[in-house]
Amino acid sequence: MEYVTRIVIIGGGPGGYEAALVAAQLGAAVTVVDRDGLGGASVLTDCVPSKTLIATAEVKTTFDSSYQELGITLDGDASGNGIGVDLGKVNRRVKRLALAQSHDITAAVTRAGARVMRGHGRLEPQRAPDGSREVVVRAVDGTEERLTADAVLLATGGHPREIPDAQPDGERILNWTQVYDLGELPEELIVVGSGVTGAEFAGAYQALGSRVTLVSSRDRVLPGEDPDAAAVLEDVFRRRGMNVMARSRAASAKRVGDRVEVTLNDGRVISGSHCLMAVGAVPNTSGIGLEEAGVRLKDSGHIWTDKVSRTSAPGVYAAGDCTGVFALASVAAMQGRIAMYHFLGETVAPLTLKTVSANIFTDPEIATVGYSQAEIDAGTIDAWTVKLPLLRNPRAKMQGVRDGFVKLFCRPGTGIVVGGVVVSPRASELIHPISIAVDNNLTVEQIANAFTVYPSLSGSIAEVARQLHTRKAAQD
């Protein structure tokens, strides 16, 4: 009888379900153990729901700018005051789409031949003499089942970090998994945390009609992102009426009747109808037997992995947010696929983060790929930079787009593109040609010589490349 490789995956997010699809298609016997539904937080409480909410906010923002800039009116009224938002209806759609996506993923994984178990998985500490491992699964009904695996993939994700004196109650003080239970739009929303999650929600609720205060412990919003991009977004936020409080760290949040009071470290108190805590995430790595099984954890609680997703324990791999490598669904999926290719003996390329494109779904969006401005400024890599504001782009003028830019980085000697930043509507789409250039070591000359549609926002990418190529030609 032919031996079939047994693989157990703990966690059904992008890292888990993509790994399951690959392993099942390669002939392994795969079991996915998941607590909440395939898709994980990315599909059920994070990426899919938040971007669905943001899509509604984007439509409203487009209309708000259209009646002012493009001359569109509503029932003859140029004020636009007739546009409102039914947040209960929006959130019902958000949840419906998230569940539908989860069901689609489950169907695809099952169709590929994998088994899906609803429950909590725990890794047993000892390996069997043949090198296999056991995973104990506690089902939702309390029963337990032991699974034997030749390889285990940990894809357990993370959950919202909490401040001890600002515990979410699901009604007035919320984390990002709880906002979709709101039936009415918050009148005054305090968002604590100005990273990607805080900025996205702050911008979305401002667009939907809330009065938003964004509490940032750093000098600016998005402190880890391109400084030029962050400056554009912060300017847009302030211009649209958002109260952005820089260098202001929240110490506590408490309910006072139908209000929430947030106390800052310097003693100031700000009040709102609701508060959203967006202060980072914690990996789901406790209580599942990792350290006892020899899986090394970082000080942050994340799982240490190498470039092919191996942990320090033989036969145990990890993927996704629990590794702390790069909190993106696309990276989690790639980590999971790489793990399965590696264990099952397929050709595999190690994970290379310099080719990862990322997007922040604010308005305007911020997309990045490759080396960053900070790395260039620090001398990590020698590169030239050219930034072109969208104000010069004819398509942007037609659409009433004022805010944003395209920025490219290239090597001085060869002109090879090593990174880029796009700040614009649909930057998530415009970053792709730059990603292709970075991934394939294309030069600014090649980008400049490729045809673009006129007029188009993508024309700015070609124009930036032309400017860099002209600079290179002058140096040669």
Side-chain angles (χ1 to χ4, degrees):
M1 182 184 230
E2 184 179 356
Y3 181 79
V4 178
T5 303
R6 302 157 298 181
I7 292 174
V8 174
I9 298 170
I10 304 177
Y17 73 73
E18 287 287 348
L21 290 171
V22 165
Q25 289 160 2
L26 292 174
V30 182
T31 301
V32 183
V33 181
D34 185 78
R35 291 181 303 177
D36 304 313
L38 293 197
S42 175
V43 169
L44 294 170
T45 59
D46 190 358
C47 190
V48 170
S50 65
K51 277 49 176 182
T52 305
L53 177 75
I54 288 167
T56 301
E58 186 179 67
V59 171
K60 189 171 185 301
T61 300
T62 300
F63 182 86
D64 288 344
S65 62
S66 294
Y67 77 80
Q68 294 175 350
E69 176 75 17
L70 305 183
I72 294 175
T73 62
L74 179 68
D75 295 329
D77 180 6
S79 70
N81 292 330
I83 295 296
V85 173
D86 182 340
L87 190 65
K89 187 174 182 179
V90 171
N91 281 337
R92 286 191 294 274
R93 178 174 181 264
V94 166
K95 292 180 178 180
R96 186 172 67 250
L97 290 177
L99 286 174
Q101 180 70 5
S102 177
H103 292 156
D104 287 347
I105 293 168
T106 303
V109 169
T110 304
R111 196 162 52 242
R115 178 191 180 194
V116 178
M117 293 184 66
R118 181 65 66 88
H120 180 273
R122 185 181 75 252
L123 189 62
E124 288 290 84
Q126 301 299 324
R127 299 174 70 196
D130 64 356
S132 63
R133 291 188 175 271
E134 283 197 337
V135 173
V136 178
V137 180
R138 178 178 290 274
V140 290
D141 61 3
T143 60
E144 287 192 352
E145 181 176 342
R146 303 181 80 87
L147 305 175
T148 302
D150 299 298
V152 175
L153 175 68
L154 305 166
T156 51
H159 61 275
R161 187 170 78 86
E162 296 179 354
I163 296 175
D165 292 328
Q167 293 295 309
D169 60 13
E171 295 179 357
R172 295 282 173 175
I173 303 174
L174 311 157
N175 62 39
W176 71 72
T177 71
Q178 298 169 330
V179 294
Y180 310 109
D181 293 325
L182 291 174
E184 296 182 355
L185 190 68
E187 183 179 348
E188 300 168 279
L189 177 65
I190 301 169
V191 178
V192 177
S194 64
V196 173
T197 300
E200 287 186 343
F201 277 113
Y205 279 104
Q206 179 82 14
L208 292 173
S210 297
R211 293 196 298 276
V212 175
T213 296
L214 180 59
V215 178
S216 173
S217 62
R218 308 288 285 274
D219 291 340
R220 57 178 172 84
V221 300
L222 299 176
E225 302 300 323
D226 182 88
D228 292 333
V232 169
L233 186 65
E234 184 165 335
D235 179 64
V236 169
F237 278 174
R238 293 183 187 277
R239 199 168 68 235
R240 291 175 179 169
M242 188 182 299
N243 178 22
V244 180
M245 301 181 66
R247 297 178 296 280
S248 301
R249 186 178 296 275
S252 67
K254 64 178 181 179
R255 288 186 62 166
V256 180
D258 290 336
R259 307 283 293 174
V260 177
E261 290 186 351
V262 175
T263 302
L264 306 181
N265 276 357
D266 60 9
R268 287 179 295 166
V269 178
I270 52 178
S271 177
S273 62
H274 296 77
C275 176
L276 170 61
M277 302 299 299
V279 289
V282 178
N284 296 326
T285 53
S286 62
I288 54 177
L290 299 189
E291 291 181 289
E292 296 84 350
V295 176
R296 174 183 158 198
L297 300 181
K298 304 174 188 176
D299 292 342
S300 61
H302 293 95
I303 301 169
W304 176 89
T305 56
D306 64 12
K307 296 294 185 181
V308 290
S309 303
R310 288 178 296 191
T311 72
S312 57
V316 180
Y317 293 75
D321 289 3
C322 64
T323 68
V325 170
F326 207 149
L328 292 174
S330 58
V331 173
M334 185 62 74
Q335 287 178 290
R337 289 191 290 262
I338 286 173
M340 295 300 98
Y341 288 138
H342 183 268
F343 183 75
L344 295 171
E346 296 292 312
T347 302
V348 61
L351 182 67
T352 305
L353 294 180
K354 284 307 172 191
T355 61
V356 174
S357 56
N359 194 71
I360 302 171
F361 290 85
T362 47
D363 181 22
E365 294 181 5
I366 299 172
T368 56
V369 68
Y371 283 92
S372 68
Q373 184 72 62
E375 289 171 310
I376 294 169
D377 292 343
T380 303
I381 185 172
D382 185 17
W384 285 341
T385 300
V386 167
K387 183 179 75 171
L388 185 68
L390 283 185
L391 271 173
R392 302 181 191 176
N393 182 289
R395 181 71 168 174
K397 292 175 184 176
M398 296 170 191
Q399 294 178 330
V401 175
R402 292 190 180 89
D403 303 296
F405 60 81
V406 173
K407 180 159 60 171
L408 281 184
F409 312 130
C410 80
R411 298 285 282 162
T414 61
I416 290 174
V417 178
V418 295
V421 182
V422 179
V423 181
S424 78
R426 298 289 193 273
S428 49
E429 313 295 341
L430 289 172
I431 198 67
H432 191 232
I434 304 176
S435 297
I436 293 173
V438 170
D439 197 37
N440 292 278
N441 295 318
L442 301 183
T443 67
V444 288
E445 181 180 8
Q446 290 172 303
I447 301 301
N449 288 338
F451 277 95
T452 58
V453 172
Y454 181 87
S456 68
L457 295 182
S458 60
S460 288
I461 298 173
E463 178 58 30
V464 171
R466 274 190 289 273
Q467 291 187 21
L468 281 167
H469 176 55
T470 300
R471 179 177 176 183
K472 179 180 177 299
Q475 293 281 333
D476 291 343

